[in-house]
Amino acid sequence: MTSPPSLDPSPRGRPRSDALHAEILWAAAQLFSTQGIGGTTTRQVAAQAQTTERTLFKHFGSKEGLAQAVISEAVLPHLAPASLAGLAEAIAAYGGDLVAWHQALLRARITALQTAPELTRLLLVELVRDEGLRGRFAAQWKPAVWGPLVALFDRLQQQGLLRSDVAAGVLARRFLALNIGFLVSRLVLAPDLALDDEEEIASIAQVFFAGVSPLRG
């Protein structure tokens, strides 16, 4: 199994210490996703990364530090890329066509998540299991995803592109529920289910924006 682009451990063009950091991080992500954080030892992670526990602790301090690094450096950037901050600019690139933008966003998310579905599984499992992790993840997720999305929908409402009788936060929650539900079912719960991704994506985008388009009196 290869690592996703954001965790590419190749030493070419980067210091060996950075490459080793990525090797350990990716090894931990793989093992945590299949065995759980509690069921994985630092010795196993070090062996998977072909290094020593001493080196692992030098990079991450402890198993808890390693687990936090996997979430903050691997899982969150992979699931919620920094490009979300440019949502309004992305819509402009599609000439203001919200349905086309939504479809493109879902296509990009499927492509990214398919490179490392284990990161999605890891996050889902650990968010259910670990209350502390839920709090830490929320602290990172809110400014990275929630804030930009609510701000986007608020701006679209002000521009008259979305219905204004429903709060922007409500629209954002419905948007996330629809998209996350599709991605989780497609990539984690039933990855082998025979689905036409393009048809599913088109339907999701059309149904969502049919429901949130401005009301016509």
Side-chain angles (χ1 to χ4, degrees):
M1 184 180 298
T2 58
S3 59
S6 61
L7 291 179
D8 183 3
S10 172
R12 291 179 298 175
R14 64 190 300 177
R16 175 56 189 163
S17 60
D18 289 350
L20 184 55
H21 182 97
E23 288 276 11
I24 298 170
L25 203 64
W26 181 236
Q30 289 178 291
L31 290 171
F32 289 168
S33 69
T34 56
Q35 303 177 175
I37 293 177
T40 301
T41 66
T42 52
R43 179 174 296 180
Q44 289 175 313
V45 174
Q48 180 90 345
Q50 298 183 346
T51 187
T52 65
E53 281 188 283
R54 181 178 179 179
T55 299
L56 183 154
F57 291 133
K58 180 179 178 180
H59 279 263
F60 299 98
S62 64
K63 181 180 175 181
E64 177 65 19
L66 174 62
Q68 290 186 28
V70 167
I71 297 299
S72 62
E73 297 180 36
V75 175
L76 183 61
H78 187 62
L79 299 182
S83 61
L84 281 175
L87 289 174
E89 290 77 7
I91 289 176
Y94 285 91
D97 186 336
L98 297 179
V99 172
W101 163 75
H102 191 173
Q103 291 173 341
L105 182 66
L106 272 176
R107 288 191 200 102
R109 288 291 77 218
I110 285 181
T111 299
L113 296 178
Q114 282 177 330
T115 64
E118 55 270 36
L119 295 183
T120 307
R121 290 197 300 269
L122 172 60
L123 179 64
L124 293 175
V125 169
E126 292 305 319
L127 284 179
V128 171
R129 185 191 68 82
D130 188 336
E131 183 177 355
L133 175 61
R134 288 199 297 275
R136 293 192 298 274
F137 180 78
Q140 297 177 64
W141 180 84
K142 287 178 181 177
V145 179
W146 178 251
L149 192 60
V150 173
L152 169 69
F153 284 147
D154 182 66
R155 182 184 304 183
L156 293 175
Q157 286 178 319
Q158 294 178 34
Q159 295 172 347
L161 297 176
L162 295 180
R163 58 189 298 174
S164 58
D165 62 320
V166 179
V170 174
L171 296 182
R173 287 196 296 273
R174 299 299 174 265
F175 183 82
L176 288 171
L178 189 62
N179 291 337
I180 293 173
F182 167 65
L183 293 170
V184 169
S185 62
R186 182 71 183 90
L187 300 173
V188 178
L189 299 179
D192 299 325
L193 191 63
L195 293 176
D196 183 327
D197 285 343
E198 278 301 309
E199 182 178 313
E200 292 291 318
I201 288 171
S203 176
I204 288 170
Q206 290 164 5
V207 167
F208 180 76
F209 282 105
V212 300
S213 296
L215 299 176
R216 304 302 179 186

